[in-house]
Amino acid sequence: MRKTQILKKLPALLACASLLFFGCGDDEEEAEFDLGTNVYQFEGESLTLSGISGKEIYLAKVNGSLTTDKSPASIVTASCTGLSACVAPSLSVASSSSSDTDEILPARKHYVVSDAEKELAKEFGRLHVQKYGKQSRSALQALYSKHESDLSEGYEKSIWIQTGSDSNSLDSYEELDATLRASNAYCNVWILDSCFAEETSSGNKVTAAIAEEIASKFDEIYPRVTNVFGTECDEILSITVDENTGNAVSKELVDMATVKDSEGELLNDTGTKINIVLCDLEAADYVGYFAPKDYYNYSVTMGNIADVSNYGKYFYVDTTSVNSSMEDALLTLAHEFQHMINFNMKTVQNSATFSTFYDEMCSTVCEDMMASYFGVDDSVTPRNRLSTFNQNFYKIGTGEWINTDSLQESYSYASAYAFGAWLARQYGGAKLFKAILSNSHSDMDAVTEAVKSVAGEDYTDEQLIERYVQALVFTSSDFSHPTMNQAAKQTLTYGSGDSAYSYPMTAINLWNYGGGPSYLKPADTTAVRPYGFTLHKVGTASADSVTLKLSASPSGSTKYYVLVQ
């Protein structure tokens, strides 16, 4: 029987901040943390390991702070002993940073929430808690169980659509004519008149048959996704404004089916059904998007994003993408629907500010959960981002979202999915994500709380990242080390009998995607991103005892770990 060593106490995170993906809980007495078998931590400049002849040695630098470590220590190759090769045939930053070899996958580009929307979201949450208090999931289901609409196919209306690239600019929106082409139990499916084809779908034009297929498939998606993630909101934040002063006179939550303008005219003609709008999003550079703006109503024009609200439950799907792959379109429906649910479960129910990384992590894992149900090929699922992740994992911190260009955003999506995919396979599958969405926390606090409640394992943020790093080195397909290479436990089921669905998520062997993680050279001093990490291939032990040397003693927030396999 192999014993697990308790090597040292890991300190709590150095900074308490609400930025990025990490929050802070109450001060607690430090508990000893099990680093795991074959994982060791540098306490000073040198580390000697014994009994590892023939084993491969890796170095992980893990930054436990909100700032980039621009000058991390490195392995001093000339001072290493007991290694057959200290300079491994791995990447240097010069060979790995070129964008020429990076593949930019089609982005489910994240809708950038404006400052005005963020303030409205906080008010939405405050009023909801004031009105209803904290509610259980079953109470929410009862409160928001209606999906009613009196509209018939052929009904025409105008809908605000983002046609420009800047979601925060009113100039990026146009009010365009659309027609209801399909309506089922949970949703209406609209096609912009400019994107409608009578007989054959092609390019950016789709037929009524496509709308009917999407409506039918969404009726299958709805109960299976809400069983895990929760329910969407049926209310709108309605604000009456004094036209002379511009100040708010009153703020209230209104059933979206009854929301009216200042003259008493009904604003929402779609009731409480979800509206899926098929439209041309090429200029906006989206495959699909959900926008919280549609949950807000001002009595007067305010010059902010609420002026282009559609006053209901809406998300938008690109017609060209639908024609390119119906399989991808079905996963887009699940992805965007999770965003709509997340807005309710975190922002509305708990007044929680959630980060883009966290929201996209949940949506990409939602795709992962539904892929098997629709028999979708791996090439269409978020797994197609794992090669990008393997090549670029050190460029994005865990919890960080960078969207300065398409390349950086592709790294962010890849990082968000990889972390979520590991969590699902390591700590309880769909049941874990149900717990993440159900608890009152946001971001990493929600994750660590869910891991504790579902898996019974209590970690700080930093400790959880340290375990995640191990999954990028150890290749075992069991739980002897943290791993993605194990199917997620089917811990939650929707339905029964032949219709039962238990959200299978199969094992992921990272080494099947672009050859596995791209390790940096041991002497590489690439900066370590906030709550990020770099991985270095040090070499192979040629002797029973190996001594490794750092260029400086560990200091600050970056920890240095040696992993042996």
Side-chain angles (χ1 to χ4, degrees):
M1 172 178 170
R2 185 171 56 185
K3 294 183 179 179
T4 303
Q5 265 184 305
I6 304 295
L7 292 176
K8 74 164 290 181
K9 293 180 179 179
L10 286 180
L13 291 177
L14 298 179
C16 276
S18 59
L19 302 173
L20 294 175
F21 191 65
F22 296 85
C24 292
D26 298 331
D27 291 339
E28 298 178 358
E29 184 178 344
E30 293 177 6
E32 288 194 336
F33 171 55
D34 186 351
L35 287 170
T37 307
N38 298 329
V39 182
Y40 311 90
Q41 184 172 354
F42 272 97
E43 306 261 10
E45 286 188 23
S46 66
L47 178 66
T48 298
L49 306 175
S50 299
I52 61 169
S53 180
K55 302 290 187 180
E56 293 181 338
I57 300 172
Y58 301 82
L59 174 70
K61 305 174 189 177
V62 181
N63 181 2
S65 81
L66 292 165
T67 58
T68 298
D69 182 352
K70 297 180 180 180
S71 303
S74 63
I75 293 288
V76 180
T77 55
S79 300
C80 295
T81 61
L83 289 171
S84 59
C86 205
V87 180
S90 49
L91 292 176
S92 67
V93 74
S95 66
S96 64
S97 61
S98 171
S99 61
D100 295 340
T101 59
D102 288 318
E103 179 184 8
I104 302 178
L105 296 166
R108 285 183 178 81
K109 180 180 172 183
H110 186 81
Y111 175 88
V112 179
V113 180
S114 66
D115 290 339
E117 283 177 289
K118 290 176 183 177
E119 290 305 310
L120 288 169
K122 291 177 184 177
E123 189 66 10
F124 204 140
R126 186 188 69 79
L127 289 173
H128 183 90
V129 172
Q130 185 182 84
K131 183 176 180 180
Y132 299 107
K134 295 288 185 179
Q135 294 177 300
S136 66
R137 280 181 64 130
S138 58
L140 279 176
Q141 203 73 37
L143 180 65
Y144 299 141
S145 61
K146 306 184 300 294
H147 292 88
E148 300 168 349
S149 175
D150 296 329
L151 303 183
S152 301
E153 292 175 19
Y155 182 86
E156 299 175 348
K157 67 171 293 177
S158 57
I159 299 174
W160 285 104
I161 303 292
Q162 185 183 336
T163 55
S165 59
D166 183 0
S167 60
N168 290 334
S169 170
L170 293 178
D171 293 336
S172 290
Y173 294 85
E174 293 183 67
E175 196 171 19
L176 302 173
D177 294 334
T179 302
L180 181 61
R181 299 294 178 179
S183 184
N184 274 17
Y186 297 107
C187 69
N188 297 317
V189 180
W190 305 81
I191 302 177
L192 287 192
D193 292 349
S194 59
C195 295
F196 178 66
E198 289 284 354
E199 298 181 355
T200 304
S201 296
S202 64
N204 70 343
K205 299 185 184 299
V206 293
T207 62
I210 291 292
E212 290 165 3
E213 183 176 1
I214 284 177
S216 175
K217 294 299 186 184
F218 188 76
D219 272 11
E220 298 175 47
I221 289 171
Y222 184 91
R224 290 163 178 83
V225 170
T226 55
N227 187 47
V228 178
F229 293 94
T231 187
E232 78 282 7
C233 184
D234 280 4
E235 294 182 298
I236 278 179
L237 173 59
S238 187
I239 302 175
T240 301
V241 176
D242 185 315
E243 293 187 37
N244 295 319
T245 65
N247 296 326
V249 175
S250 66
K251 301 175 184 178
E252 61 177 332
L253 300 186
V254 181
D255 184 327
M256 64 174 54
T258 64
V259 64
K260 297 178 181 180
D261 64 18
S262 58
E263 297 179 356
E265 294 294 322
L266 196 67
L267 286 170
N268 173 13
D269 52 4
T270 63
T272 51
K273 278 194 176 181
I274 292 168
N275 297 283
I276 301 169
V277 184
L278 304 182
C279 49
D280 186 352
L281 297 177
E282 182 179 2
D285 196 25
Y286 293 127
V287 173
Y289 73 94
F290 159 73
K293 70 176 181 63
D294 294 325
Y295 275 91
Y296 306 123
N297 168 48
Y298 277 99
S299 62
V300 299
T301 300
M302 295 296 293
N304 65 31
I305 203 69
D307 292 345
V308 292
S309 172
N310 288 311
Y311 313 111
K313 306 177 192 176
Y314 284 81
F315 58 83
Y316 309 82
V317 179
D318 180 56
T319 48
T320 302
S321 300
V322 170
N323 284 330
S324 176
S325 171
M326 178 55 75
E327 288 184 337
D328 194 34
L330 297 179
L331 295 188
T332 298
L333 296 178
H335 181 111
E336 300 307 331
F337 186 36
Q338 191 288 137
H339 285 317
M340 182 182 287
I341 292 171
N342 202 307
F343 173 74
N344 181 42
M345 299 300 291
K346 291 302 182 185
T347 301
V348 175
Q349 300 304 318
N350 294 291
S351 300
T353 301
F354 56 88
S355 69
T356 300
F357 183 99
Y358 165 80
D359 200 3
E360 293 297 349
M361 179 190 79
C362 291
S363 277
T364 51
V365 172
C366 183
E367 292 183 64
D368 201 353
M369 290 181 190
M370 293 302 298
S372 178
Y373 181 80
F374 288 117
V376 175
D377 185 81
D378 278 356
S379 64
V380 180
T381 73
R383 291 184 186 223
N384 64 14
R385 297 189 180 278
L386 290 175
S387 291
T388 297
F389 172 74
N390 277 339
Q391 295 168 22
N392 305 285
F393 61 84
Y394 57 90
K395 298 175 183 176
I396 301 289
T398 307
E400 195 175 23
W401 193 266
I402 302 177
N403 60 352
T404 50
D405 56 48
S406 296
L407 193 62
Q408 292 294 331
E409 192 157 40
S410 73
Y411 300 161
S412 298
Y413 270 105
S415 181
Y417 171 64
F419 186 56
W422 171 70
L423 287 171
R425 285 156 179 81
Q426 187 73 34
Y427 294 115
K431 188 176 181 180
L432 177 76
F433 276 80
K434 183 171 186 174
I436 289 172
L437 268 290
S438 296
N439 66 41
S440 61
H441 304 285
S442 62
D443 297 351
M444 186 60 118
D445 287 344
V447 172
T448 53
E449 180 64 26
V451 168
K452 182 178 178 180
S453 65
V454 173
E457 300 184 34
D458 192 1
Y459 299 116
T460 66
D461 303 346
E462 190 176 26
Q463 290 166 356
L464 193 63
I465 295 174
E466 190 279 324
R467 291 187 62 76
Y468 175 44
V469 168
Q470 292 185 41
L472 276 62
V473 173
F474 296 116
T475 57
S476 59
S477 58
D478 56 35
F479 286 112
S480 59
H481 289 100
T483 183
M484 290 189 199
N485 198 17
Q486 182 88 303
K489 294 178 181 178
Q490 296 182 37
T491 50
L492 191 66
T493 300
Y494 170 79
S496 59
D498 293 340
S499 65
Y501 188 65
S502 298
Y503 310 95
M505 289 176 276
T506 57
I508 292 175
N509 185 341
L510 274 178
W511 285 264
N512 289 339
Y513 297 88
S518 298
Y519 304 120
L520 301 174
K521 291 182 177 180
D524 194 287
T525 56
T526 297
V528 190
R529 300 292 305 175
Y531 290 106
F533 52 88
T534 60
L535 289 171
H536 307 253
K537 180 76 174 292
V538 176
T540 303
S542 59
D544 185 69
S545 180
V546 173
T547 296
L548 303 174
K549 294 277 190 178
L550 287 177
S551 57
S553 292
S555 62
S557 59
T558 300
K559 308 297 188 296
Y560 297 79
Y561 301 100
V562 172
L563 296 84
V564 179
Q565 75 165 343

